[in-house]
Amino acid sequence: MKIFSVLVLLLLLSSCNAPETKYISFNPGQEWLDNNGIHINAHGGGILFHNKKYYWYGEHKIAGEVGNTAQVGVHVYSSNDLYNWTDEGIALEVDESDSKSDIAKGCILERPKVIYNTKTKKFVMWFHLELKEHGYDAARSGVAVADNPTGPFVFIKSVRPNQGYWPLNVQEFHKRSVSDTIKNSYCGGLGCLPAHVDSLNILGRDYENGQMARDMNLFVDDDGKAYHLYSSEENSTLHIAELTDDYLSHSGRYARFFANRYMEAPAILKNSKGKYYIIASGCTGWAPNPARSASADNIFGPWTELGNPCIGQDSLTTFHSQSTYILNVQGKNDAFIFMADRWKPENPIDGRYVWLPVYFENDKIHLKWTDKWDLSVFND
Ligand code: GAL
C-alpha cells in the first residue's frame, strides 16, 4: 500500500512538472508555451534559419508599467518545426553595470532582427534603440554580433544611419539649407508634423548627424547583400538602406519611400518570381491600425502601394495586431508566414503573437484570419 502511494505521488509530481506541450498547429492570438510551459517572450521578433533550425529573437518584456522598456534584453528560442520552441535564453543582455551605456538597463530596445554573414561567419543583430530616459527622441539603430545563433551577442555601437549621405532618390530641395527652427524641431512622432513632411525637409535636417531610425527590419537578398528598412524622418517616411559587406554598418546607398505615409513596423519578403513585397502598419503606437502592402521589382523601387492586405473580419485592425516579420518557410515554394504582435501595453509580457499564411493572388498579397492552421496550407 505504502509503495503504491509513493508511486502515485511520484506520478503526480512528474505530471506537475512543466508539461511537454507538443503543438501541431499555429493558434494565432492564443498563449504560446515554450518547452518549459512558459508563454514565449520574444515580442517585435524576427526569425533566422541556420543549420536546419529556426531561431526566434524578440524583445523580452516584463509585467507591469516598465514592461516595455528593456530590463533584460533580447530573448532567443529555437525550433525545428516552427510550432514548438525551446527557450535558449537571453541572446543580448542589457548593460546592468554602466548606466551610461547605450544599452543600459531601462533603455528602449525594440524589434531586434538577426542575420548571418557567410563571409565573416558572424551572427549580426540590429535593433531600434532609444537611450535610457529620453523617451523616443534618440531614434537610433544598435548593432551587436555573436559567433553562435544563441549568443552571447556583444554590443558594438549605435548609430543614426547614413550620416552625410543623400539617398539615391534625393530631390534638389532636400539639399537647400534648413532653417534653424526646423533644425531644432525634434518632436518624436506623429502629431507634430504637417501632412507634408517634405515642406519641413527632415531629411536635410538630419543629413549631417544621421537619419532617424525607429521601427525596422533586415533583409538578406539572394546575392548576399543585406538591407536595413526603417521608419525615418519622424516616422513619416520609410528608408531602405544597404549594409556594408560585413553587415555592421550602412554603406551610404539608400532610398526613401512612402513619404508622408507614416509607415511603421515594416516587414519584407521576396518571392520566387523575384518580386519584393512589404507589409507595414500605420503609426498609432501600441494600438492596431489597418496594415498596408506594397510591391516592387527592385528593392530600391519604384514601390507601388497595394492597399490593406487583410481581408474579412478585423481587417481594419490587422486582426488586432501589428506586423513584425515575414518568415520564409524552408523547403516549400513561396511559403511565407506573416508574423505580428498583439501588444498588451498594460501588461507587455502577456502580448500575443499572430502568425498567418501569406496568400499571393494576382500579384497582390492577402492575409486572412484563421483560428488554427498548419504548414499543410502551403502544399496546394
Ligand atoms: C509602435 C511601434 C512599436 C513601439 C510603439 C511605442 O508604433 O511599432 O515598436 O515603438 O509604437 O508606442
Side-chain angles (χ1 to χ4, degrees):
M1 186 60 191
K2 225 174 176 183
I3 291 177
F4 180 72
S5 327
V6 170
L7 274 177
V8 170
L9 192 70
L10 278 176
L11 255 173
L12 275 174
L13 277 177
S14 65
S15 65
C16 287
N17 274 340
E20 251 295 290
T21 321
K22 271 274 170 206
Y23 290 107
I24 50 165
S25 63
F26 300 107
N27 305 280
Q30 301 297 309
E31 208 172 42
W32 195 345
L33 306 181
D34 67 9
N35 61 311
N36 298 316
I38 297 170
H39 181 49
I40 292 172
N41 197 342
H43 310 265
I47 304 282
L48 167 80
F49 183 75
H50 186 78
N51 276 351
K52 301 197 180 120
K53 258 195 182 181
Y54 295 94
Y55 294 89
W56 178 355
Y57 302 85
E59 300 160 33
H60 179 104
K61 306 266 194 193
I62 64 164
E65 258 175 47
V66 289
N68 272 324
T69 58
Q71 300 293 323
V72 176
V74 175
H75 210 132
V76 57
Y77 296 81
S78 68
S79 174
N80 296 315
D81 62 8
L82 290 172
Y83 307 121
N84 297 286
W85 292 90
T86 301
D87 185 355
E88 300 282 1
I90 302 302
L92 171 68
E93 287 180 7
V94 292
D95 195 328
E96 294 213 34
S97 56
D98 177 6
S99 63
K100 297 232 159 41
S101 159
D102 283 4
I103 59 161
K105 181 176 174 177
C107 68
I108 293 175
L109 195 167
E110 293 181 338
R111 301 184 175 276
K113 303 289 178 285
V114 174
I115 51 181
Y116 178 65
N117 190 299
T118 50
K119 286 188 194 135
T120 62
K121 308 225 173 331
K122 299 276 185 200
F123 297 85
V124 180
M125 177 191 291
W126 283 88
F127 48 87
H128 166 200
L129 177 70
E130 299 290 349
L131 305 176
K132 189 178 173 169
E133 279 153 16
H134 285 85
Y136 278 86
D137 288 351
R140 298 179 76 80
S141 301
V143 60
V145 284
D147 293 324
N148 293 296
T150 52
F153 280 78
V154 177
F155 175 67
I156 299 189
K157 63 181 175 188
S158 81
V159 295
R160 274 287 192 90
N162 293 311
Q163 184 181 4
Y165 287 95
W166 291 114
L168 297 171
N169 54 357
V170 66
Q171 290 171 270
E172 271 319 302
F173 75 86
H174 288 127
K175 295 185 177 172
R176 287 190 211 126
S177 69
V178 178
S179 81
D180 284 347
T181 340
I182 291 167
K183 267 192 187 146
N184 299 319
S185 70
Y186 288 93
C187 61
L190 185 66
C192 53
L193 288 180
H196 290 285
V197 71
D198 280 347
S199 63
L200 286 185
N201 190 11
I202 306 296
L203 183 86
R205 180 194 72 185
D206 292 341
Y207 172 78
E208 267 173 38
N209 296 319
Q211 299 298 326
M212 300 178 88
R214 291 204 182 99
D215 280 11
M216 56 146 278
N217 228 311
L218 296 179
F219 175 71
V220 180
D221 213 333
D222 306 330
D223 59 3
K225 286 242 177 270
Y227 298 87
H228 183 204
L229 290 75
Y230 51 89
S231 302
S232 194
E233 302 177 41
E234 305 281 3
N235 294 356
S236 69
T237 303
L238 187 80
H239 287 191
I240 299 181
E242 186 189 76
L243 296 177
T244 49
D245 285 350
D246 59 8
Y247 300 169
L248 299 179
S249 305
H250 295 84
S251 73
R253 271 189 91 222
Y254 72 110
R256 53 196 296 276
F257 299 103
F258 316 116
N260 305 308
R261 292 284 289 136
Y262 288 89
M263 287 206 187
E264 287 200 314
I268 184 168
L269 72 84
K270 183 183 187 183
N271 71 9
S272 59
K273 292 184 186 159
K275 229 181 179 34
Y276 300 83
Y277 289 87
I278 280 178
I279 301 179
S281 73
C283 188
T284 54
W286 302 117
N289 55 53
R292 292 98 182 269
S293 63
S295 73
D297 293 321
N298 185 313
I299 195 155
F300 281 134
W303 282 91
T304 308
E305 277 206 54
L306 302 172
N308 184 350
C310 304
I311 47 183
Q313 208 185 344
D314 295 327
S315 59
L316 294 181
T317 58
T318 317
F319 316 111
H320 307 284
S321 68
Q322 184 184 30
S323 40
T324 183
Y325 193 73
I326 301 174
L327 152 60
N328 191 351
V329 181
Q330 299 299 308
K332 291 177 187 264
N333 191 35
D334 282 342
F336 296 95
I337 299 176
F338 169 76
M339 291 170 52
D341 293 283
R342 196 172 272 184
W343 304 114
K344 291 238 180 116
E346 68 293 347
N347 189 25
I349 193 174
D350 193 34
R352 303 296 168 87
Y353 310 103
V354 170
W355 288 26
L356 293 170
V358 174
Y359 295 102
F360 294 90
E361 270 169 55
N362 304 326
D363 278 350
K364 286 193 162 196
I365 42 177
H366 289 306
L367 303 168
K368 281 183 252 188
W369 179 259
T370 160
D371 287 334
K372 194 186 254 310
W373 65 282
D374 61 44
L375 295 172
S376 67
V377 301
F378 296 120
N379 294 346
D380 309 335

